[in-house]
């Protein structure tokens, strides 16, 4: 069977097989996260309510941030099955976030090989703790623009292989690894960047979720791209072509970690099915994690890429970067993050402006209460300019601010 023809149901089946087989069900290891937050926010209507705001929050109130349930099953000496369900508001739903089967044999020397197949995130998010639940920031409430976009619009539905050399096994502080994957089902990637732009939040989209865009003229019934739907299913296979990514990793003990990744979904921008185009989306990404002294941590990521659909009906270059500094204070951690993001359009429809630029600053304090409980308070300010806002009656320049306190219980 060609890779592009793999059934869309493969990921849910991995989870269901692991959790419903009696022998495996007894060995399930459960974990989860419940996040309830109080917020006060000013600015444009959020993209979660079909607005063109950059933040997840708008208005005041108490809301569900996340409800995550994860299951891991040891199938054999080297096989493990994992699945993650994620519940959130706006819209209210529970959906599959990840589901994969992994092969992780015990190495006999410094070289280690790992593989996984199913639905999972690409590597490179420096803002998460890989010992905790995936794609959830641990120092802040919001994620950077880079990791917000990946959490919303990218997911690997395929096969990933990693080969690493562990320096500690041979008395060296240097670790190196290479990771590569082939995937399908991510053809719409780029749609959000073009017609909504970057965001700064922590909303993770699910496998079957449909995201509604703002009511822009370009994809209305009388618009220039009338074949394009306003509701987007982000993990659909459209053109039958497999994409790939490849990454290099380097670490110097626990002090420094570097990642370089190239991603290309190899989308055919001329193919459209069920009112959804395939987008040709690619990017290069660099990530760094540095611990210069006890209690300090510095993070940085940089991304630059391009995306296009149709005969350059929509085409843009994009880039984003952030720097983050954290300092442990008692049982808590103080964090400041600075984001910059931009898109530059290069298409044939001047009536559909897709360019923007902006910046964001987040200041957060995360406090550990013990017994799996924690409190995170974040002040977030985002300033952006996007000419397309005029098309829906908003000013192109927007300042959005929020104060959010999150009560988290992790088990």
């Amino acid at each position: 069977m060609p890779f592009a023809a793999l059934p869309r149901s493969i990921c849910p089946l991995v989870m269901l097989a692991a959790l419903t087989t009696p022998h495996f069900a007894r060995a399930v290891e459960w974990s989860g996260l419940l996040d309830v937050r109080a917020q006060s926010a000013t600015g444009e209507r959020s993209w979660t309510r079909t607005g063109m705001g950059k933040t997840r929050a708008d208005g005041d109130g108490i809301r569900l941030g996340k409800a995550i349930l994860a299951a891991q099953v040891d199938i054999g000496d080297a096989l493990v099955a994992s699945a993650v369900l994620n519940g959130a508001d706006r819209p209210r739903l529970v959906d599959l976030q990840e589901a994969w089967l992994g092969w992780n044999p015990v190495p006999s020397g410094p070289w280690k090989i790992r593989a996984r197949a199913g639905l999972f995130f690409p590597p490179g998010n420096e803002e998460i703790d890989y010992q905790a639940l995936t794609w959830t920031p641990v120092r802040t409430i919001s994620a950077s623009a880079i990791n917000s976009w990946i959490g919303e619009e990218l997911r690997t539905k395929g096969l990933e292989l990693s080969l690493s050399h562990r320096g500690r096994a041979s008395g060296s502080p240097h670790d190196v690894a290479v990771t590569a994957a082939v995937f399908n089902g991510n053809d719409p990637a780029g749609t959000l960047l073009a017609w909504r732009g970057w965001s700064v939040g922590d909303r993770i989209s699910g496998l079957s979720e449909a995201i509604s865009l703002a009511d822009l003229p370009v994809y209305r019934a009388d618009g220039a791209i009338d074949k394009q739907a306003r509701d987007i299913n982000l993990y659909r296979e459209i053109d039958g072509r497999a994409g790939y990514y490849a990454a290099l990793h380097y670490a110097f003990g626990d002090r420094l970690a570097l990642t370089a990744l190239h991603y290309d979904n190899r989308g055919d921008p001329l193919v459209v099915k069920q009112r959804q185009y395939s987008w040709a989306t690619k990017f290069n990404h660099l990530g760094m994690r540095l611990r210069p002294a006890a209690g300090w941590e510095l993070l940085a990521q940089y991304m630059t890429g391009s995306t296009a659909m149709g005969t350059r009906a929509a085409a843009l270059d994009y880039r984003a970067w952030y720097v983050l500094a954290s300092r442990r204070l008692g049982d808590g951690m103080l964090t400041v993050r600075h984001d910059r993001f931009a898109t530059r359009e290069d298409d044939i429809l001047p009536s559909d402006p897709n360019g923007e630029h902006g910046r964001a600053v987040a200041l957060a304090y995360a406090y550990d209460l013990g017994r799996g409980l924690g409190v995170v308070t974040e002040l977030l300010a985002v300033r952006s300019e996007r000419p397309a806002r005029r098309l829906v009656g908003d000013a192109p320049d927007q300042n959005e601010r929020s104060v959010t306190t999150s009560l988290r219980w992790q088990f």
Side-chain angles (χ1 to χ4, degrees), residues 56-338:
R56 179 181 175 183
D58 60 7
D60 304 335
I62 297 176
R63 294 188 172 90
L64 174 66
K66 292 185 179 182
I68 298 176
L69 181 63
Q72 183 167 301
V73 184
D74 291 326
I75 299 176
D77 292 338
L79 289 177
V80 61
S82 177
V84 181
L85 294 174
N86 192 342
D89 65 352
R90 291 186 175 180
R92 292 188 179 92
L93 55 81
V94 176
D95 208 340
L96 189 65
Q97 175 180 310
E98 293 187 80
W100 49 267
L101 180 67
W103 179 59
N104 190 18
V106 176
S108 58
W111 289 96
K112 181 177 178 61
I113 187 169
R114 293 184 300 174
R116 56 179 175 170
L119 175 74
F120 48 89
F121 289 100
N125 187 344
E126 303 296 343
E127 294 183 274
I128 66 174
D129 180 353
Y130 282 94
Q131 302 302 316
L133 296 169
T134 59
W135 229 258
T136 298
V138 296
R139 303 163 189 82
T140 58
I141 295 175
S142 67
S144 63
I146 291 174
N147 294 320
S148 295
W149 176 57
I150 294 175
E152 294 173 57
E153 199 166 12
L154 296 188
R155 210 64 46 88
T156 304
K157 291 171 61 179
L159 175 66
E160 180 188 81
L161 181 66
S162 178
L163 178 65
S164 61
H165 184 276
R166 303 171 301 124
R168 293 177 183 176
S170 56
S172 170
H174 304 283
D175 296 333
V176 294
V178 59
T179 301
V182 290
F183 59 87
N184 66 6
N186 222 162
D187 290 338
T191 309
L192 295 185
L193 279 182
W195 286 319
R196 189 209 62 194
W198 295 99
S199 68
V200 181
D202 67 332
R203 181 68 161 79
I204 299 173
S205 55
L207 176 65
S208 62
E209 181 177 356
I211 292 182
S212 297
L213 299 171
D215 185 24
L216 294 175
V218 66
Y219 38 71
R220 293 175 186 165
D222 58 350
I225 313 178
D226 58 337
K227 292 181 180 179
Q228 172 67 50
R230 184 179 169 188
D231 294 330
I232 309 301
N233 188 309
L234 298 172
Y235 309 121
R236 179 179 297 169
E237 178 57 37
I238 297 172
D239 60 11
R241 299 170 62 176
Y244 73 94
Y245 60 73
L248 294 173
H249 315 272
Y250 168 79
F252 181 79
D254 294 329
R255 182 65 61 87
L256 174 67
L258 301 172
T259 298
L261 180 143
H262 176 73
Y263 175 102
D264 189 347
N265 73 350
R266 298 183 64 248
D268 184 343
L270 300 180
V271 178
V272 56
K273 291 182 180 179
Q274 298 177 333
R275 302 197 65 207
Q276 174 63 64
Y277 278 86
S278 175
W279 292 65
T281 299
K282 62 181 68 176
F283 62 79
N284 293 313
H285 169 268
L286 298 173
M288 181 199 74
R289 181 191 298 255
L290 175 66
R291 296 186 175 98
W296 282 94
E297 195 165 39
L298 303 177
L299 310 179
Q301 290 179 239
Y302 174 80
M303 175 185 286
T304 180
S306 64
T307 187
M309 56 80 68
T311 310
R312 303 199 70 80
L316 60 144
D317 299 323
Y318 56 90
R319 68 180 184 278
W321 59 266
Y322 77 86
V323 291
L324 179 152
S326 287
R327 174 72 166 94
R328 182 160 292 280
L329 296 174
D331 292 330
M333 183 175 291
L334 181 67
T335 299
V336 60
R337 186 188 66 228
H338 177 75

